[in-house]
Amino acid sequence: MSKLTLSGPTSLPMDATLPLNPALASFSIETAFFEEYIGNQTIPNKLSLNLFENLKERTGVPAEVRIGGITADSTFWDPNQEAALYNFIDSTGALRNTTLGPQFWNSVKLLPEGTKIVMTLDLETLNYTGALDMAEAAWMGLGSRQISRFEIGNEPDQYYLNLDAQNYTATWEPWTVNISKALGINYPEFQVGATAIDPLWPYNTPRADAQFDCVSALAAGANDAHTVTTCSEHTYQYSVCDPTRAAVATLTNLVNHTRLAQYLDLWQPRIHSVRAQLGPDAFVIGEFNSVSCSGRANVSNTFGQAMWLLDTTLYAASINVSRMYVHQGGPLALQSSTQLNHGGLSLYNLWYPVDNQNGPIQVFPSYSAYLFVTETIGHSRSLRLSNIFPGRQANGSSVTTAGGDPSAGQISVYGFWDENSASILDYPTKLALLNLEIYNHTDSYPRPNITIDISAYLPKKTQEVMVKRLTSPGADVLSANVTTWAGQTFASGVAEGHIVEEKVYNGQVVLEASSAALVYW
């Protein structure tokens, strides 16, 4: 496929989102690794803080940060601890628990001004007093303006307790009531769910309805006391937690629009239900990444993951996920005896803030995908999104190859309509063009490309458009030094090089394999 002609219609599609949340591209940071990422008052981690500031500059609103993950359920509060964070590691090298002290909140305050925090409390030990102590400490240490939401428990559908929606809700709901009373909160302050098991399909079957998730928890009464503001579920499309799943966690499988859209489409019924019950901004993917159990070498640390992250974030937004929290952490004790990774920081992280056994301090290509997302949203609070190619089937699902996508999952195009633009939704104001075809820098043949004819979407067919590109020498590239967004690299944490903006006059945008372009006018 060497040419794609977009055909419209140019007006705002029926399936377009409501205005995008400026914090769409957000982060989840494993509690036990938080200080490694952000540093402390004495030694702030300048690399991390610069990378966060870059995103805030583009939207005016910082990425939200969820402090959570599997270690949140073994994290405790000690008001007398001098260290901000202490990890207890036993003689086998296993991380057993984490303790936070008062200085921890000063680490959190190093994040860009205005950063909202989702704080995860321990549920797995069923220790209400411990959860309350942590909530009170966070409320006092950060205040109501910085705490966006509390989350009680991480992936409770994976606990040894064998929870279901009913017995989870029987514990979770009264805890939210009592914590709210203790803190003097008279409004919804909690995020329900944080479940991890993929939805069953078809969704409207007794087995699927019996799954423990946000929808079943709400049906069981989780919001009876009106303490719920959002629902979170976790998505990991691939895994190396065991050899069977590791066999299919390949770069070729990961970087494919049809595959990732079909995966995220599993959540569409839940998203519809949650938004109907809690409001249009209520469904978030509170933890996600490419390959669970800490990623896969030469898959999760590549520019290919940057292409996957960009398409995943925009596609999730197109089906009305409000915010996406990409997870940062490391291989953890007792996670899986059969997983590939042990120790160090995760291969799927967007950067390594400290030297570790998996590599030195560095930024990975994936970070650039979040630069693309935040620059696309910009300072607009009225930007609406639709996946215009391959688009939608009548049932709302992404068009698969069998349903009429001639690119075999290699091309994805998103349109952005601004409610405040002069065209008043007759035409988009921006397009995001993604070419997911795999091209590796080690390939010996010329790099393929596709010409995308966008002229049908332009108010004037010959008008000038501007193009900023996300590119690298290939999908297999591991280095941010050669990964560029609009001509600049961000390997040092700050922009290096000159901004490159191209002008295109004929509505024909040439897009190389394994690259993306933001087109605007």
Side-chain angles (χ1 to χ4, degrees):
M1 185 184 185
S2 59
K3 184 163 186 177
L4 171 65
T5 299
L6 301 178
S7 59
T10 62
S11 57
L12 184 74
M14 292 289 292
D15 69 357
T17 65
L18 290 176
L20 295 173
N21 191 307
L24 169 64
S26 285
F27 289 85
S28 167
I29 300 178
E30 190 70 49
T31 308
F33 292 92
F34 187 86
E35 191 176 14
E36 288 180 62
Y37 259 84
I38 307 304
N40 54 46
Q41 263 194 319
T42 304
I43 309 176
N45 191 292
K46 292 182 180 179
L47 175 66
S48 293
L49 299 178
N50 284 335
L51 293 170
F52 277 106
E53 283 287 355
N54 294 336
L55 304 178
K56 179 184 176 181
E57 284 175 11
R58 284 162 170 76
T59 63
V61 174
E64 289 194 5
V65 174
R66 171 201 183 232
I67 302 173
I70 194 171
T71 58
D73 278 310
S74 56
T75 295
F76 309 104
W77 172 251
D78 182 353
N80 299 312
Q81 179 175 287
E82 292 187 9
L85 183 152
Y86 174 73
N87 287 325
F88 173 62
I89 299 172
D90 69 16
S91 58
T92 69
L95 174 62
R96 290 295 178 182
N97 57 58
T98 300
T99 308
L100 306 184
Q103 290 300 316
F104 181 77
W105 312 119
N106 290 326
S107 290
V108 177
K109 290 174 185 176
L110 294 170
L111 288 162
E113 185 178 355
T115 300
K116 297 290 189 181
I117 298 298
V118 178
M119 188 69 195
T120 308
L121 312 175
D122 165 33
L123 175 65
E124 190 171 17
T125 64
L126 299 179
N127 178 0
Y128 169 74
T129 301
L132 175 61
D133 287 346
M134 185 68 74
E136 289 180 327
W139 200 249
M140 183 174 295
L142 298 177
S144 59
R145 294 182 66 181
Q146 188 160 14
I147 294 286
S148 171
R149 311 182 291 291
F150 286 112
E151 181 177 76
I152 305 177
N154 175 76
E155 300 182 358
D157 54 341
Q158 305 272 44
Y159 289 172
Y160 70 93
L161 299 168
N162 294 319
L163 296 180
D164 57 24
Q166 287 69 38
N167 54 29
Y168 162 82
T169 298
T171 298
W172 189 92
E173 194 266 351
W175 281 27
T176 67
V177 172
N178 292 331
I179 291 172
S180 295
K181 289 178 179 177
L183 300 183
I185 301 170
N186 60 0
Y187 53 86
E189 188 70 22
F190 289 86
Q191 180 159 285
V192 72
T195 52
I197 297 173
D198 294 350
L200 292 171
W201 192 265
Y203 68 92
N204 53 352
T205 64
R207 278 191 67 218
D209 290 344
Q211 275 191 283
F212 171 21
D213 59 79
C214 278
V215 174
S216 61
L218 290 172
N223 197 33
D224 281 358
H226 308 293
T227 55
V228 179
T229 185
T230 50
C231 148
S232 166
E233 297 191 12
H234 298 175
T235 62
Y236 286 89
Q237 193 173 349
Y238 293 95
S239 179
V240 290
C241 294
D242 55 74
T244 301
R245 286 183 287 174
V248 296
T250 64
L251 192 60
T252 302
N253 284 343
L254 181 73
V255 189
N256 181 281
H257 177 77
T258 299
R259 284 179 174 268
L260 73 84
Q262 287 179 320
Y263 177 67
L264 290 171
D265 280 345
L266 295 174
W267 275 266
Q268 283 213 47
R270 295 184 183 177
I271 295 168
H272 288 305
S273 178
V274 167
R275 293 176 79 235
Q277 295 179 72
L278 299 177
D281 209 38
F283 191 96
V284 307
I285 291 180
E287 181 184 320
F288 80 107
N289 217 305
S290 57
V291 180
S292 68
C293 285
S294 292
R296 182 162 204 172
N298 301 312
V299 176
S300 302
N301 50 357
T302 67
F303 182 73
Q305 182 179 271
M307 293 297 298
W308 169 86
L309 179 60
L310 176 59
D311 200 18
T312 292
T313 303
L314 294 179
Y315 187 76
S318 82
I319 58 173
N320 292 299
V321 176
S322 170
R323 279 147 290 177
M324 301 282 288
Y325 299 76
V326 68
H327 195 55
Q328 313 294 289
L332 301 163
L334 308 177
Q335 192 174 29
S336 166
S337 60
T338 58
Q339 70 188 52
L340 291 184
N341 302 311
H342 300 277
L345 293 174
S346 295
L347 295 162
Y348 56 48
N349 290 355
L350 304 198
W351 67 89
Y352 286 163
V354 294
D355 294 335
N356 67 97
Q357 73 179 50
N358 291 328
I361 295 171
Q362 62 189 297
V363 180
F364 290 102
S366 294
Y367 173 75
S368 59
Y370 263 20
L371 292 171
F372 189 120
V373 172
T374 50
E375 194 150 332
T376 300
I377 295 172
H379 289 257
S380 173
R381 300 297 175 262
S382 53
L383 203 65
R384 302 176 66 178
L385 163 66
S386 177
N387 175 234
I388 59 178
F389 185 87
R392 298 258 185 257
Q393 295 176 358
N395 67 358
S397 295
S398 178
V399 175
T400 64
T401 303
D405 176 3
S407 78
Q410 295 178 332
I411 306 300
S412 183
V413 179
Y414 297 89
F416 300 85
W417 284 257
D418 197 320
E419 290 182 333
N420 292 335
S421 72
S423 62
I424 315 175
L425 308 183
D426 289 338
Y427 292 89
T429 58
K430 302 177 183 179
L431 295 171
L433 314 178
L434 285 65
N435 186 346
L436 302 171
E437 181 181 353
I438 297 287
Y439 178 80
N440 293 321
H441 82 290
T442 52
D443 289 337
S444 58
Y445 55 86
R447 191 166 185 166
N449 63 48
I450 185 172
T451 299
I452 301 180
D453 184 344
I454 66 169
S455 57
Y457 280 91
L458 301 178
K460 298 176 182 177
K461 303 310 175 193
T462 58
Q463 85 176 71
E464 171 187 299
V465 300
M466 305 299 293
V467 180
K468 289 184 176 180
R469 296 185 185 274
L470 174 62
T471 190
S472 81
D476 56 344
V477 162
L478 308 179
S479 174
N481 283 319
V482 291
T483 297
T484 60
W485 164 241
Q488 297 182 310
T489 60
F490 290 81
S492 66
V494 296
E496 296 187 38
H498 298 292
I499 293 175
V500 175
E501 295 177 290
E502 302 168 36
K503 293 181 180 179
V504 173
Y505 298 95
N506 59 2
Q508 313 289 306
V509 181
V510 178
L511 196 61
E512 291 185 320
S514 297
S515 75
L518 176 63
V519 184
Y520 54 99
W521 54 92

